[in-house]
Amino acid sequence: MRALSVSALLLLALGCCWGTQDNFLDEDVVEPVIQASKYGSLWPLPQKVQISDVPLKLSGTTFEFTDAKGSTAGASCSVLQNAYRRYFDYIFGGPKKQKMSRNRRSGPTEVTELQVSITSPDSQCDGYPGVTSDESYELSVDAPVAVLKAPTVWGALHGLETFSQLVYEDKYGAKTINSTKVSDFPRFAHRGILLDSSRHFLPIKVLLANLETMAMNKFNVFHWHIVDDQSFPYLSRTFPQLSQKGAYHPYTHVYTPADVKMVIEFARLRGIRVIPEFDTPGHTQSWGKGQMDLLTPCFSGAAPSGTFGPVNPILNTTYDFMSRFFKEVSSVFPDGYVHLGGDEVDFSCWKSNPDIKKFMDEQGFGQDYSKLESFYIQKLLDIVTTTKKGYIIWQEVFDNGVKLKPDTVVHVWMGSGSDAEMNKVTTAGYTTILSAPWYLDYISYAQDWQKYYKVEPLNFNAETRHTYPRLEGQPGTIPERDGKNYLGRVPDPAVLSLVPEPYLLRPGLAEPLQGRPAGF
Ligand SMILES: *[C@@H]1O[C@H](CO)[C@@H](O)[C@H](O)[C@H]1NC(C)=O
Ligand SMILES: *[C@@H]1O[C@H](CO)[C@@H](O)[C@H](O)[C@H]1NC(C)=O
């Protein structure tokens, strides 16, 4: 079984990567070497790029994005129409002026049109991106017509981004694009950024700016770590007292249902999934303020100390609350997955509480409090299963031996031993997200960035490299380091709160990958 799951995992890795060129920073180089990239400003580097030396011109008065004849998405496709306006703006620095172009003749080396063709019967214009979305695209830039083909709108969005990155100004300031061919698809289906809006409340405009930046970098998952010990800014319709009491401020520091909707739609228009995380049973101090009896009362000797610990796992009311709460969450957030947390559960309060001790005895758990944690998580997973969502859990839940559904996604975050953990989780057959090497809050100096680009997420298994030598020579996921296109486009100040989690490995889906390398 082990060998089988390892090889299945690899097929995926071979099937999909945003960049495979070998021009990665040399291990021994301490100072980064600054030089012009032969790929211009492309970021991340597409799978296949051929940029010719033939410069073509673009002009804001003649150029337009159009829907190709035969495209399954047309004028009613909000995702594309919105993207056309956005990218016109990026490229020409302002909105298109209508009907200016009628009589202007275009030169033989001018690109006047980018025709966008969605090729699969279901363009997904009105849907949401998901873990199985096909994000591939092919772009051919020529005069007078450039062509972008993609099976779904999600791939077309990436193609439009690539097109915009190919445009530069010549020495006279004229918009220029070289004749180019690009064929691209992502290496990993899940390329995420975690933002924590509990420890610090993040205003909506910061969230939207992050989504914008993610789209420019072809990230496709916003992991919204929306609540934690410090505050509960999510305004629940079912339990409004949670944010009323648990937010930093009940009106100014909350996300209303309208706010959440706006974030989700803004993300959808950029091909980004929004996965909320409601972390329990630990990290829940803020929940206790608005929900009586949800948290465990801690004891000091024989008397309650007045402080509270993790969610109280021995009360039926806890599970009634969770059922109603996650029912709401499942209808508010359209994505197929919800993140259930489960990390860093502190057992000391449970240990102090005589009712919990009694329950432990009744259940035959002895002194093993991870069994109590598992008891809670098991019931929570059953509750969430009834909402028809898939779930993601932090690695401790797997480590503690909780019985998991085979399609559970295990999120590896702990810095030490993450290779061994990846090995364990994938060998057990679970889909995995790896975040451990990319905690961006550890960056204290610019040079620190280098190591983040050198991580090869599939290097956790020596057997892997041995069996599949083609994996070697893919030293990094973002092989070009082009300062101009990178930090210049990341809006301050949110960058420090980003934790990317680009790696979702799907060991079970090797077969379809071979025939359809892009969206798996
Ligand atoms: C675009 O073409 C010009 C020549 O017109 C060439 O100097 C330049 O290197 C090309 N750009 C890229 C990124 O290949
Ligand atoms: C909790 O629910 C279980 C199963 O429905 C029941 O057997 C038990 O008596 C309930 N406990 C309390 C304290 O209500």
Side-chain angles (χ1 to χ4, degrees):
M1 275 325 281
R2 184 192 153 106
L4 193 68
S5 67
V6 166
S7 50
L9 177 78
L10 263 172
L11 283 172
L12 166 116
L14 292 170
C16 39
C17 8
W18 276 119
T20 58
Q21 272 75 4
D22 298 357
N23 44 4
F24 199 61
L25 282 176
D26 196 278
E27 281 291 329
D28 302 321
V29 175
V30 179
E31 294 294 321
V33 180
I34 311 290
Q35 57 187 24
S37 161
K38 64 176 168 155
Y39 299 104
S41 299
L42 288 179
W43 182 276
L45 191 59
Q47 296 284 340
K48 280 200 197 132
V49 189
Q50 279 177 283
I51 305 183
S52 78
D53 283 342
V54 180
L56 307 169
K57 296 297 171 206
L58 298 144
S59 143
T61 54
T62 52
F63 180 82
E64 57 187 347
F65 294 102
T66 59
D67 299 307
K69 277 201 194 71
S71 172
T72 53
S76 65
C77 181
S78 55
V79 172
L80 285 186
Q81 299 303 323
N82 188 292
Y84 295 165
R85 279 195 294 278
R86 215 163 60 235
Y87 281 104
F88 191 92
D89 212 61
Y90 288 162
I91 294 170
F92 298 107
K96 184 159 178 69
K97 297 189 184 67
Q98 293 302 323
K99 311 229 189 259
M100 286 268 298
S101 57
R102 279 295 134 103
N103 299 319
R104 193 181 173 285
R105 243 185 285 146
S106 58
T109 59
E110 183 169 347
V111 183
T112 55
E113 199 175 335
L114 175 59
Q115 279 184 5
V116 179
S117 181
I118 306 300
T119 56
S120 73
D122 180 11
S123 65
Q124 299 182 24
C125 274
D126 302 313
Y128 289 89
V131 72
T132 57
S133 293
D134 188 330
E135 296 179 86
S136 67
Y137 67 93
E138 304 216 350
L139 175 65
S140 162
V141 178
D142 254 312
V145 177
V147 176
L148 171 60
K149 282 192 182 150
T152 70
V153 291
W154 318 121
L157 289 174
H158 296 318
L160 289 166
E161 175 60 36
T162 297
F163 181 80
S164 77
Q165 293 181 6
L166 286 167
V167 177
Y168 61 98
E169 290 185 348
D170 70 9
K171 61 182 173 187
Y172 306 107
K175 304 284 183 214
T176 311
I177 188 168
N178 290 12
S179 167
T180 299
K181 287 204 182 331
V182 173
S183 156
D184 200 10
F185 52 88
R187 183 180 184 192
F188 295 103
H190 180 123
R191 305 174 307 282
I193 297 279
L194 180 154
L195 288 183
D196 176 347
S197 62
S198 167
R199 290 175 175 93
H200 298 276
F201 179 78
L202 300 173
I204 290 289
K205 68 171 202 267
V206 172
L207 299 182
L208 301 188
N210 270 280
L211 290 166
E212 195 77 82
T213 310
M214 286 172 63
M216 290 173 178
N217 292 277
K218 301 188 173 108
F219 278 82
N220 70 348
V221 178
F222 169 30
H223 171 171
W224 195 351
H225 187 90
I226 189 167
V227 300
D228 205 298
D229 285 328
Q230 287 78 0
S231 78
F232 197 104
Y234 172 76
L235 200 163
S236 159
R237 281 188 203 276
T238 321
F239 299 102
Q241 69 279 15
L242 287 169
S243 60
Q244 193 71 31
K245 301 271 172 57
Y248 285 128
H249 186 285
Y251 302 116
T252 60
H253 285 50
V254 294
Y255 302 111
T256 65
D259 291 336
V260 171
K261 246 189 156 142
M262 189 207 296
V263 167
I264 292 169
E265 180 62 6
F266 192 92
R268 185 185 82 88
L269 290 173
R270 286 155 185 79
I272 297 169
R273 305 161 58 200
V274 178
I275 300 182
E277 179 185 350
F278 289 96
D279 191 357
T280 67
H283 290 273
T284 47
Q285 289 295 303
S286 69
W287 303 51
K289 295 182 181 159
Q291 186 64 22
M292 285 282 288
D293 298 332
L294 181 64
L295 303 185
T296 308
C298 313
F299 278 64
S300 169
S305 68
T307 62
F308 294 87
V311 165
N312 192 334
I314 68 169
L315 299 180
N316 289 353
T317 51
T318 291
Y319 301 102
D320 297 340
F321 167 81
M322 293 296 170
S323 295
R324 294 177 63 199
F325 184 73
F326 279 100
K327 188 160 174 241
E328 172 184 319
V329 167
S330 73
S331 71
V332 169
F333 293 90
D335 196 75
Y337 285 85
V338 55
H339 201 305
L340 299 177
D343 57 323
E344 300 181 304
V345 183
D346 176 9
F347 295 149
S348 58
C349 179
W350 281 352
K351 284 180 185 165
S352 76
N353 181 302
D355 295 330
I356 301 249
K357 268 192 210 141
K358 184 158 155 271
F359 184 84
M360 293 280 289
D361 290 344
E362 285 164 10
Q363 297 287 326
F365 291 165
Q367 293 299 309
D368 187 353
Y369 284 81
S370 72
K371 288 200 171 130
L372 182 60
E373 181 186 351
S374 299
F375 172 88
Y376 167 78
I377 298 268
Q378 202 72 69
K379 289 180 82 103
L380 181 67
L381 298 189
D382 292 344
I383 286 168
V384 175
T385 300
T386 66
T387 69
K388 307 235 165 32
K389 295 282 188 193
Y391 42 72
I392 305 170
I393 41 94
W394 294 113
Q395 68 182 74
E396 288 99 313
V397 178
F398 166 81
D399 294 341
N400 288 340
V402 175
K403 197 168 87 223
L404 299 170
K405 282 194 307 174
D407 59 349
T408 303
V409 178
V410 179
H411 197 157
V412 174
W413 69 278
M414 289 176 155
S416 73
S418 67
D419 282 0
E421 183 76 5
M422 288 294 284
N423 219 345
K424 251 176 31 197
V425 173
T426 53
T427 302
Y430 292 107
T431 299
T432 309
I433 299 169
L434 176 63
S435 289
W438 297 283
Y439 272 70
L440 303 189
D441 53 338
Y442 288 144
I443 293 171
S444 60
Y445 184 64
Q447 300 290 317
D448 296 352
W449 282 97
Q450 291 187 51
K451 72 168 197 262
Y452 291 80
Y453 294 104
K454 288 182 177 172
V455 176
E456 166 46 57
L458 298 186
N459 271 356
F460 59 84
N461 192 320
E463 209 176 317
T464 295
R465 289 201 304 278
H466 177 69
T467 326
Y468 292 88
R470 279 170 64 194
L471 260 190
E472 299 197 293
Q474 297 185 12
T477 49
I478 309 179
E480 285 284 334
R481 194 188 145 95
D482 175 350
K484 179 175 115 228
N485 197 27
Y486 185 60
L487 271 181
R489 306 186 79 177
V490 177
D492 242 0
V495 64
L496 284 183
S497 51
L498 308 181
V499 180
E501 41 182 42
Y503 302 115
L504 181 64
L505 315 175
R506 296 180 65 79
L509 292 181
E511 275 294 282
L513 261 183
Q514 292 177 307
R516 209 182 58 130
F520 34 91

